[in-house]
């Protein structure tokens, strides 16, 4: 069932973008998804803390997931508005290039959304071994989405993009996403706590 869900996450944008967007539009959409994803990945934790300060800790188990997708959606909308304003003339290509490029970038958009979705599920209040053990700590044992490990791919990409171009990692470690590679372990332990503290009535405890 989980694989079917991820297939839907992949195929729905591929079909929609291939039908409605051209090569240039889908390229811009892909770039916007990546940028919005990186911003959400790097800033969801402080935003979640702010959310907790506004609404209290009753929903603290949900605030990380909420913060990630609110940031992603807001940033995506802003970037789309900016690119639509700047790129007022649609770039045209020869028909075969247009069709092939449209499909390729639509597929890249769908794949990036799969990566973001699987990454964000680590933040959700779920059991530690959800989705048939897909949340493994090591890439070689990851069986998520036909063994491709899209969550690992996004974690690695976000980490590389936040690293300084040169110099020791310790210099700017506070600005690097997941500098010690402990993200999966950290949120795995958080899901373990959630599972252990889950009340008898099925209501999540206050974190």
């Amino acid at each position: 069932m989980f694989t079917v869900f991820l297939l839907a996450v992949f195929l729905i944008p591929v079909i929609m973008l291939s039908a409605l967007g051209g090569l240039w539009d889908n390229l811009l959409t892909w770039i916007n998804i990546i940028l919005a994803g990186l911003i959400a990945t790097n800033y969801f934790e402080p935003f979640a803390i702010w959310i907790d300060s506004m609404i209290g800790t009753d929903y603290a188990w949900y605030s990380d997931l909420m913060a990630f997708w609110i940031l992603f959606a807001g940033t995506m909308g802003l970037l789309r508005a900016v690119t639509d304003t700047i790129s007022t003339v649609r770039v045209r290509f020869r028909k075969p290039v247009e069709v092939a490029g449209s499909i390729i970038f639509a597929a890249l958009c769908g794949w990036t959304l799969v990566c973001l979705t699987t990454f964000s599920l680590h933040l959700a209040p779920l059991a530690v071994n959800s989705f048939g053990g897909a949340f493994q700590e090591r890439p070689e044992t990851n069986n998520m989405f036909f063994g491709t490990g899209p969550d690992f791919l996004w974690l690695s990409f976000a980490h590389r993009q936040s690293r300084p171009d040169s110099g020791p990692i310790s210099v700017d470690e506070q600005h690097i996403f997941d500098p010690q590679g402990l993200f999966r372990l950290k949120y795995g332990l958080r899901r373990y706590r959630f599972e252990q503290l889950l009340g008898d009535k099925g209501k999540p405890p206050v974190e």
Side-chain angles (χ1 to χ4, degrees), residues 9-98:
V9 172
F10 174 73
L11 290 175
I12 290 173
V14 170
I15 294 171
M16 292 180 61
L17 291 173
S18 297
L20 301 176
L23 187 158
W24 183 248
D25 288 338
N26 291 349
L27 170 61
L28 292 179
T29 300
W30 182 48
I31 293 172
N32 289 342
I33 290 173
I34 291 175
L35 292 176
L38 287 173
I39 290 172
T41 299
N42 281 278
Y43 294 104
F44 78 86
E45 288 182 300
F47 187 43
I49 294 173
W50 180 82
I51 291 176
D52 288 340
S53 70
M54 292 292 103
I55 66 175
T57 58
D58 290 344
Y59 301 96
W61 292 101
Y62 305 92
S63 56
D64 283 333
L65 185 65
M66 289 169 51
F68 178 83
W69 285 111
I70 290 172
L71 277 176
F72 175 81
T75 306
M76 185 67 189
L78 179 62
L79 290 173
R80 190 73 222 189
V82 170
T83 52
D84 286 348
T85 301
I86 295 175
S87 181
T88 56
V89 178
R90 181 176 179 178
V91 180
R92 297 186 179 276
F93 301 88
R94 292 183 180 275
K95 190 65 174 180
V97 176
E98 177 76 17

Side-chain angles (χ1 to χ4, degrees), residues 2-3 6 118-119 121-122 131 134-135 141-151 184:
F2 181 52
T3 300
L6 292 181
T118 52
F119 167 83
L121 288 175
H122 287 275
F131 310 119
F135 289 158
T141 59
N142 187 290
N143 62 357
M144 188 182 292
F145 204 51
F146 308 110
T148 56
D151 54 334
R184 291 172 64 88

